[in-house]
Amino acid sequence: MNEIRNIVSEIKKGNIKPIYFLMGEEPYYIDKISDFIEENVLDEAEKGFNQQVMYGRDVSIEDIVSSAKRYPMMAERQVIIVKEAQDLSRNIEKLLSYAENPQPTTVLVLNYKYKKLDKRKKLHKVIAKTGFIYESKKMYENQVSDWIRRVLSGKKYQIEPKASQMLVEFLGTDLSKISNELDKLMLILPQETIIDDTHIEDNIGISKDFNNFELRKAVGEKDILKANRIINYFAENPKNNPLVMTISLLNSFFTQLLSFHGLQDKSKNSVAKSIGVNPYFVDEYFLAGRNYPMRKVAQVIAILRDADLKSKGVGASQSQKDILKELLFRVLH
């Protein structure tokens, strides 16, 4: 996020590059930077003649270069934004000659999502010299909760760890989806609110009692009754609780538990850092570690792999409910 702030700060100061090549696996920040340039580099009077949005599927590199070489009309500069520029990946190297000598009165922005330039190629080196390259890297799941906390903190909100984890488990690591849900919450809730699991359930529709987070906790505690209640709920609401997601999250939990067993330093902060979880949840791993010795954890991971294959129709044709029930029985006994 510091890099984003620096980009925005430099643009506000008037230190604007002729080329912004925005690339990488996480589209959220690519869109944020592109939108900021689109909204702020030119004033409203200048945009009509001097701001152009193109789409990679509809244009060629030659079209982009031709437009970029034009001079602005009654303005200091023009802005050209190429969205979905990854559709031009087969011919992107044709941009080299322009990148070597870009038009100083043009701001060319290329949104190159889900891909990146080869750093060994000349084009990458040239754009890094004459313009600006930003790589938006995909966040790991254990980083997203902290991102949620920082975003909300900047807007004068707080969030409890469980509520944050519920969002991550329900929405994954898609920052755009998470951001949209946070925006909804902030429209409804006043500043200084500490967002908890009830807020998430009431306003986003994620059950605070029947979710993968609670299932993981019940399994770790070997709470057979609670675990069965949750999988019955999942079976009745398969659309909102896909089996593949449940298996994946349980697999992540037991993989972390395997790492936990191998740690020499089992202080709370060390465990949190080593296995990549919020310190708030570390006690669950101590309890699960007592319930599942290392050998059992290895067996559970094998059981989860078997269930994953069955969920995809390999080796058996069972309902989601039957696969979950069999899985839990084998894990908990």
Side-chain angles (χ1 to χ4, degrees):
M1 287 183 76
N2 287 336
E3 192 173 4
I4 307 295
R5 292 192 191 99
N6 290 339
I7 295 168
V8 169
S9 176
E10 289 300 306
I11 291 173
K12 285 181 176 178
K13 291 176 185 175
N15 299 328
I16 301 172
K17 302 288 186 180
I19 302 175
Y20 288 88
F21 201 98
L22 313 175
M23 64 183 191
E25 291 298 317
E26 177 48 68
Y28 177 79
Y29 284 118
I30 292 174
D31 287 336
K32 283 291 184 184
I33 296 169
S34 178
D35 290 347
F36 180 81
I37 292 172
E38 185 174 352
E39 292 165 10
N40 294 280
V41 169
L42 300 179
D43 63 36
E44 291 303 318
E46 295 171 330
K47 287 178 183 178
F49 292 107
N50 297 291
Q51 187 153 285
Q52 187 176 2
V53 176
M54 302 177 170
Y55 289 86
R57 65 179 178 272
D58 299 327
V59 296
S60 65
I61 297 294
E62 289 79 8
D63 294 330
I64 295 168
V65 170
S66 176
S67 294
K69 285 184 175 179
R70 294 175 190 155
Y71 289 97
M73 186 179 295
M74 295 180 290
E76 185 180 345
R77 54 175 62 91
Q78 67 165 341
V79 174
I80 297 173
I81 297 170
V82 185
K83 297 188 177 183
E84 311 300 335
Q86 68 273 11
D87 290 338
L88 296 162
S89 59
R90 290 184 180 181
N91 300 304
I92 198 66
E93 294 295 326
K94 290 183 178 181
L95 192 63
L96 178 61
S97 59
Y98 178 79
E100 289 176 323
N101 186 29
Q103 176 66 262
T105 55
T106 293
V107 181
L108 176 60
V109 183
L110 296 114
N111 297 349
Y112 201 73
K113 297 177 180 178
Y114 314 111
K115 293 179 179 287
K116 56 184 180 179
L117 293 178
D118 189 334
K119 292 181 180 179
R120 299 168 297 180
K121 297 287 183 72
K122 190 174 181 181
L123 180 60
H124 186 285
K125 295 173 183 175
V126 169
I127 295 177
K129 184 179 179 180
T130 62
F132 183 86
I133 293 180
Y134 171 73
E135 183 178 351
S136 186
K137 296 179 180 178
K138 196 78 174 175
M139 281 191 180
Y140 293 110
E141 189 174 299
N142 63 346
Q143 297 173 308
V144 178
S145 288
D146 189 52
W147 179 85
I148 291 171
R149 181 189 59 75
R150 284 187 279 114
V151 168
L152 289 171
S153 178
K155 304 286 181 67
K156 297 185 179 179
Y157 290 84
Q158 296 181 56
I159 187 166
E160 292 185 351
K162 181 183 175 181
S164 178
Q165 190 70 20
M166 285 170 64
L167 284 172
V168 175
E169 291 188 355
F170 188 72
L171 300 169
T173 58
D174 188 324
L175 300 188
S176 295
K177 284 184 180 178
I178 295 171
S179 179
N180 287 338
E181 297 301 335
L182 294 180
D183 287 344
K184 291 177 190 175
L185 285 171
M186 288 185 283
L187 280 173
I188 298 165
L189 303 172
Q191 287 185 333
E192 311 298 340
T193 298
I194 300 174
I195 298 169
D196 60 21
D197 54 0
T198 302
H199 292 125
I200 301 297
E201 181 175 52
D202 292 346
N203 298 293
I204 297 179
I206 309 170
S207 171
K208 66 182 177 67
D209 297 315
F210 299 99
N211 57 65
N212 282 305
F213 170 81
E214 290 297 328
L215 177 61
R216 185 188 76 183
K217 187 176 179 182
V219 169
E221 295 172 352
K222 284 203 167 183
D223 187 335
I224 296 173
L225 181 60
K226 182 178 177 182
N228 275 291
R229 283 175 177 164
I230 294 171
I231 65 163
N232 287 333
Y233 177 86
F234 284 3
E236 292 168 5
N237 300 274
K239 188 175 180 181
N240 293 328
N241 304 280
L243 179 57
V244 64
M245 179 67 72
T246 298
I247 293 172
S248 175
L249 291 170
L250 285 174
N251 185 68
S252 295
F253 175 64
F254 279 98
T255 300
Q256 289 169 324
L257 195 55
L258 194 64
S259 298
F260 169 84
H261 277 301
L263 295 176
Q264 295 294 322
D265 181 0
K266 283 192 168 67
S267 63
K268 197 166 186 176
N269 287 335
S270 178
V271 170
K273 185 176 180 181
S274 298
I275 66 176
V277 299
N278 189 304
Y280 176 86
F281 300 113
V282 166
D283 287 343
E284 292 180 21
Y285 289 84
F286 280 98
L287 177 57
R290 291 193 291 272
N291 288 331
Y292 298 90
M294 184 178 281
R295 180 177 292 182
K296 177 62 177 178
V297 172
Q299 291 172 354
V300 170
I301 291 172
I303 291 167
L304 287 163
R305 287 176 182 163
D306 181 53
D308 183 54
L309 289 173
K310 288 180 179 177
S311 73
K312 294 167 183 171
V314 179
S317 179
Q318 294 175 270
S319 68
Q320 172 172 329
K321 186 173 184 178
D322 288 341
I323 293 171
L324 270 174
K325 281 196 167 185
E326 180 186 344
L327 168 62
L328 276 187
F329 180 82
R330 294 177 68 190
V331 168
L332 294 170
H333 293 83

